Amino acid sequence: MVNHFHKVMEKLNASNPKCMSELLTEYEDLMEWINKEDEDIKYNPMTDAKDIEDIALEFTKQHLNPTRKNMSISNKEIAFHAMLIDSDSDSDVIFPEAGNDPDLNTIFLPKSLLKGQETYIVNVVYKNNKTISKLTPTVMEGQDDNKNWSVNTGIFLMTIFPKRQEPFQNVIITLHHIQKMNYSNPHCSFWNFSIPTSYNGSWSQKGCEMVSSTNTHTVCACNHLTNFAVLMKLNSQEVSSEHKEALLIITYAGLALSLLGEAITVLLYCLFLNLRHEKIQIRVNFLCALATAQIIFLAGIDKIENKDLCTFIASLIHLFYLVCFCWMLMEGVFLYRMVVKVFDVHVKMRYAYVFAFGLPSGIVAITLVAASLQSEGIHSYISKRYCWIRFDNDFIWSFVTPVLMLIAINCFFLYRVLKEMVLMKSVKNIKSLELSSIRASARACVLLLPLLGITWLFGLLSVINTSSVNVAWQYIFTILNTMQGFMIFVFHCLRNTELQAAIKLRYFQWESTHSSTHSNRKSSTPAKFLNFDESGSRSNSLPMAAKVNQVRPEKLDMKYRDEGGAHAQYS
């Protein structure tokens, strides 16, 4: 494919109006072929940069004139811009014009550089940042260690005709960064073809200096025109083998404990509580979604070798964690309707299911479609280190933004619930058991919602900053992630008064039935069956049936029974 591209360039005729379109299309095909190839392609774009510059300049000279002073041709890999400046021009030029694209690389040409003669301006931008960064050599004049350097902008070719004597008054180039994180120490550089290397030149900083730099872009000042780029140091994100082993142990042990807690909670809910009740359905669905996300996380987060499988795993983790937050919002809505909207406590579960699974599915589907439109295809959705959403191309916001919105909405509902609960303390006709149930549910939501949110905050922090801080974030994220199931087990199982009452009721029913059966087998006399002692006098001890009656649901407030009480059949 590379040889084919070279043959096409040799045959191009600058006088052909379609010359530049054909050149850019062939270059785009070459880059797409390189992206699809699994093996490393030994191709240096800078070896062809000089030939592309010559073709672009000759094309501009032949096709721009006083009646046609501007020309632009672009695709997703490369862009060509040209302009003709009149000899009597007396103004500075920013080229190409930024328009509505805030990320467009531009150059400021002072009027002193253009004044006095008709001038052709030619700009070629190699846009495919990931491919260019991967293919372009990072050898830099005067630098011994080139290992961690990377081209972190598109390559920006700028030339004018007639040529001006160099050096001249500085031109100002604004170059936008490819990677916004994990890069530092920007160097304004240009490709110097005159330096003898096996790469047909080397990066150099002579005649260029950095004016300013932020996370998003760098501004350079140079006293000549050529192929510009910003080289930056890649901050090491490698974690030592000791930390990797410790994190692995915490992850597997913690998630196993977390899954055990979730499994016990779901099992007890299914055995002792009424699954037809809205609140119980919401909690069971939340627990099942969280357990599913953790199982997939545990089994597939490191399956990076197979990119298709890795993309599928990442999308499932993305989906089920969003489902978790949706079900937590549904519990907040249920509490709100139960406490604030006292006469409208029922939630139509079919709408809850549509929301909890439909919204996350739509978000994940849109994200995957957007990723498939990128130059790297759908694999641009995943990180290069693990099967999770990629951070450096902003796809992570398809997870962060919905989560932040769901947490914010849930916080509003929980605030209203807590406010109403404070008022309920002064109302005498509120059943203490009912208030206790509401308070326990609200307390669980108030504590578990921040736990889930803070966990993923540290998950985001674990991919930024220096390596030492990054390790600390990874430890915090791993510990919090493994605590989720355990905390849910504590609040929704061990401290759940409804569940405790249901288990006690079932136990007393079993004990009563077992005792009655044993008594019937031991003696068939009516006196003993009616709980008389051997002397024939009435026993002072309560019969087992009376003990059961102490926790029978008829003794409980009717509303409390509806909200999640035992589903056992009562005698």
Side-chain angles (χ1 to χ4, degrees), residues 212-503:
S212 64
S213 185
T214 67
N215 288 337
T216 60
H217 66 276
T218 296
V219 179
C220 304
C222 298
N223 59 15
H224 54 79
L225 296 175
T226 182
N227 293 276
F228 299 105
V230 174
L231 270 67
M232 301 179 75
K233 278 278 189 179
L234 171 63
N235 296 329
S236 176
Q237 295 294 310
E238 286 298 317
V239 180
S240 66
S241 57
E242 293 81 4
H243 287 305
K244 285 182 178 179
E245 184 176 354
L247 288 168
L248 195 64
I249 293 172
I250 294 172
T251 299
Y252 281 95
L255 284 181
L257 183 63
S258 181
L259 288 168
L260 179 63
E262 291 156 6
I264 293 173
T265 305
V266 171
L267 180 63
L268 292 176
Y269 271 46
C270 291
L271 290 176
F272 296 103
L273 297 179
N274 183 7
L275 290 178
R276 291 175 296 178
H277 190 269
E278 294 94 332
K279 183 173 68 175
I280 305 305
Q281 284 190 55
I282 290 171
R283 286 187 185 172
V284 169
N285 276 286
F286 165 72
L287 288 165
C288 290
L290 182 59
T292 303
Q294 290 177 338
I295 290 171
I296 299 171
F297 181 94
L298 200 62
I301 193 68
D302 58 349
K303 305 298 182 184
I304 196 66
E305 299 83 7
N306 187 328
K307 289 189 176 182
D308 292 330
L309 176 62
C310 187
T311 302
F312 179 67
I313 290 170
S315 65
L316 288 180
I317 298 174
H318 187 183
L319 171 68
F320 280 104
Y321 272 116
L322 287 180
V323 170
C324 290
F325 282 98
C326 286
W327 280 119
M328 284 210 73
L329 176 59
M330 285 296 97
E331 179 148 10
V333 170
F334 178 83
L335 286 172
Y336 173 80
R337 295 174 72 91
M338 184 170 66
V339 176
V340 181
K341 305 290 184 181
V342 181
F343 299 105
D344 187 17
V345 298
H346 294 290
V347 175
K348 293 184 178 179
M349 289 306 297
R350 62 178 178 273
Y351 296 134
Y353 280 104
V354 169
F355 171 77
F357 289 99
L359 178 64
S361 298
I363 292 171
V364 173
I366 291 172
T367 307
L368 290 173
V369 170
S372 66
L373 299 176
Q374 303 296 309
S375 58
E376 294 182 50
I378 199 169
H379 296 154
S380 62
Y381 172 73
I382 56 172
S383 168
K384 294 181 179 179
R385 293 187 293 161
Y386 33 68
C387 298
W388 180 234
I389 311 170
R390 196 164 178 168
F391 288 79
D392 55 20
N393 56 9
D394 295 331
F395 280 126
I396 188 62
W397 292 105
S398 65
F399 177 76
V400 175
T401 303
V403 165
L404 291 177
M405 293 179 65
L406 291 168
I407 289 176
I409 297 170
N410 216 351
C411 286
F412 165 77
F413 286 126
L414 292 176
Y415 164 75
R416 291 296 307 275
V417 168
L418 294 174
K419 182 180 177 181
E420 196 71 20
M421 284 172 58
V422 173
L423 298 176
M424 289 171 66
K425 289 183 179 180
S426 60
V427 181
K428 294 182 179 180
N429 63 349
I430 298 293
K431 301 290 191 300
S432 61
L433 193 57
E434 176 185 348
L435 183 59
S436 175
S437 172
I438 295 171
R439 188 182 293 117
S441 297
R443 186 187 301 117
C445 280
V446 168
L447 292 173
L448 291 175
L449 181 64
L451 176 62
L452 283 175
I454 291 172
T455 296
W456 286 102
L457 170 63
F458 284 107
L460 292 174
L461 290 174
S462 69
V463 297
I464 62 176
N465 290 318
T466 61
S467 57
S468 59
V469 178
N470 174 57
V471 171
W473 296 151
Q474 288 191 38
Y475 272 104
I476 295 173
F477 170 70
T478 303
I479 293 170
L480 289 177
N481 196 34
T482 57
M483 280 178 58
Q484 291 174 0
F486 175 74
M487 295 300 292
I488 289 168
F489 173 70
V490 169
F491 286 107
H492 284 322
C493 193
L494 294 184
R495 296 179 61 85
N496 189 330
T497 54
E498 300 173 32
L499 183 60
Q500 291 173 8
I503 293 174

